[in-house]
Amino acid sequence: MNKRLIFPAIVLIMLVLTAAGRKEQKPLNLIIFIGDGMGTDQVYAGMTASGFTMTFPAFPVTGFSKTYAANRYITDSAAGGTAISTGEKTNNGMIAVRPDSTEIPTIMEIARKAGLSTGVVATSTVTHATPASFVAHDASRGSYEDIAKWFLKGTADVFIGGGINHFRARSDSADLTVELKKMGYDVVYSMNDLNNSKSGRIAGLLAEESMPYIDEGRDPYFLAAATDKAISVLSRNKKGFILMVEGSQIDWAAHDNNMKRTIDEVLDLDRAVRVAYDYAKKSGNTLIVVTADHETGGLSLTGGSIDGMNVSGTFGTKGHSAVMVPVFAFGPGASAFSGVQDNTDLFHDFIELLSLKK
Ligand code: MG
Ligand code: ZN
């Protein structure tokens, strides 16, 4: 080749490669994992106890999320979930509404309007603050029966977790599962029936209230299996899907200042991430973002052993703390999640990457 043409040729090749690279940066599907109360110390405790075999801490992109609420330095799960699901900060206790109680569209509502499929999976009740932030609007996170009614809007094609009582043992004596069935939902109450369901819409209600802790009887593969089922149902949609999976009980274990349970619940979330990661690697069009709504317990790791795979720590509070929480991302668009961002930025990144319109 003529020497004078080599440089322009190289520039052209680089431009083509860059354009191709950019094109790959748009995911079709998004899977959000929220470890409720999962700060950096909770993650590192899990990493140590697992002998550094966890999946999500090895993701190629990491960042931090600032979690403060509109009215408090330290957020709760309602304001923290709302920031991620709507892109707006609100007051503690509020579910996808502004401080003046006006409703804010959630990413699930926006995605369904655009023809995507949607789902939420949790180890709490499905009406609890974190999953509720994606499907409901209520100025009060404790209004579980009102929040349950929002599931009748069909905002989540698949929802799996606890909370039978909020659908069937209600103070107004309504049985919301009757309406759900009319809407085409397969309402199931066991993992077996969940796994066998052929429906494109599933309400999986697996406990009257929240699911038990693993050491009190929850199947240690519940969250992973529910994630797997949700992905297999939602991924039938060629337009894509958004799934939110919550490790709800990291928060509760840390409120109790219970180190062993905190680790168990972090590792439980990671088993579910592994399922999504395997799917994302195969599909090539799926973005996974793992983060938290806030840190719980003010956990500080003060001792441990790499060889012994053990770790000890002290908790600074029975409540939440203000510290930034980690963000881990894998897949097309992952680079948007590096650096220090506000929790509300996660939503705006999701919207842009999925080419959705607010
Ligand atoms: Mg939660
Ligand atoms: Zn909490």
Side-chain angles (χ1 to χ4, degrees):
M1 192 187 279
N2 185 321
K3 261 190 185 164
R4 278 162 54 202
L5 288 177
I6 287 177
F7 182 68
I10 288 171
V11 169
L12 183 66
I13 288 166
M14 280 172 65
L15 282 174
V16 168
L17 287 175
T18 306
R22 283 226 180 98
K23 209 173 165 207
E24 279 170 44
Q25 293 305 303
K26 289 271 185 181
L28 181 70
N29 312 310
L30 168 65
I31 308 178
I32 306 164
F33 286 90
I34 297 179
D36 196 317
M38 187 175 73
T40 311
D41 285 66
Q42 283 82 355
V43 174
Y44 196 66
M47 289 166 68
T48 306
S50 74
F52 297 113
T53 58
M54 280 174 66
T55 296
F56 70 77
F59 280 4
V61 175
T62 52
F64 286 99
S65 163
K66 294 182 283 180
T67 67
Y68 66 90
N71 67 332
R72 290 281 188 280
Y73 183 53
I74 298 179
T75 190
D76 77 337
S77 293
T82 296
I84 298 169
S85 70
T86 71
E88 295 189 31
K89 300 236 186 210
T90 193
N91 292 348
N92 282 356
M94 295 186 137
I95 302 289
V97 296
R98 300 184 181 90
D100 66 4
S101 293
T102 53
E103 293 173 12
I104 321 169
T106 75
I107 192 158
M108 298 286 180
E109 291 167 335
I110 295 165
R112 272 195 56 84
K113 263 193 201 153
L116 281 73
S117 290
T118 50
V120 293
V121 176
T123 54
S124 61
T125 62
V126 295
T127 48
H128 209 260
T130 311
S133 299
F134 287 81
V135 299
H137 303 273
D138 201 301
S140 172
R141 61 178 286 175
S143 309
Y144 296 124
E145 294 186 358
D146 291 336
I147 289 168
K149 279 191 188 165
W150 280 96
F151 284 85
L152 302 180
K153 297 260 183 195
T155 301
D157 295 292
V158 175
F159 54 98
I160 307 168
I164 296 169
N165 287 352
H166 305 152
F167 289 83
R168 303 195 64 179
R170 297 166 53 86
S171 49
D172 63 5
S173 338
D175 181 349
L176 303 188
T177 63
V178 173
E179 184 67 24
L180 284 170
K181 284 175 198 161
K182 277 189 205 152
M183 294 168 69
Y185 281 89
D186 195 0
V187 183
V188 297
Y189 302 100
S190 71
M191 281 310 292
N192 208 29
D193 289 346
L194 176 67
N195 286 328
N196 290 332
S197 177
K198 300 272 184 285
S199 178
R201 284 189 138 182
I202 304 176
L205 299 171
L206 300 178
E208 289 184 351
E209 295 291 338
S210 57
M211 311 279 295
Y213 281 118
I214 290 170
D215 61 32
E216 287 181 345
R218 185 169 95 240
D219 181 338
Y221 291 95
F222 158 73
L223 196 62
T227 300
D228 192 30
K229 183 66 183 184
I231 291 171
S232 75
V233 172
L234 301 176
S235 62
R236 293 177 202 164
N237 189 339
K238 296 283 174 281
K239 288 186 170 173
F241 69 87
I242 301 182
L243 171 65
M244 191 288 294
V245 179
E246 187 198 18
S248 318
Q249 302 193 16
I250 299 165
D251 177 63
W252 304 348
H255 275 292
D256 286 346
N257 291 179
N258 184 323
M259 187 67 162
K260 187 193 172 295
R261 276 184 180 162
T262 299
I263 291 170
D264 284 351
E265 294 295 336
V266 168
L267 298 181
D268 187 54
L269 181 68
D270 193 60
R271 282 191 291 274
V273 175
R274 180 80 212 182
V275 168
Y277 175 67
D278 288 342
Y279 173 79
K281 261 194 309 182
K282 243 189 303 162
S283 72
N285 58 11
T286 303
L287 169 65
I288 303 176
V289 175
V290 183
T291 188
D293 48 358
H294 54 74
E295 194 274 347
T296 303
L299 178 58
S300 174
L301 305 183
T302 50
S305 153
I306 297 292
D307 291 339
M309 291 163 61
N310 61 61
V311 54
S312 57
T314 56
F315 290 88
T317 175
K318 290 267 183 185
H320 301 168
S321 79
V323 72
M324 299 187 292
V325 292
V327 181
F328 306 88
F330 171 86
S335 62
F337 299 91
S338 72
V340 177
Q341 294 195 92
D342 238 316
N343 51 4
T344 50
D345 292 330
L346 302 176
F347 167 89
H348 297 291
D349 291 338
F350 298 153
I351 290 285
E352 193 187 320
L353 289 167
L354 293 168
S355 306
L356 295 170
K357 283 195 187 68
K358 245 201 106 171

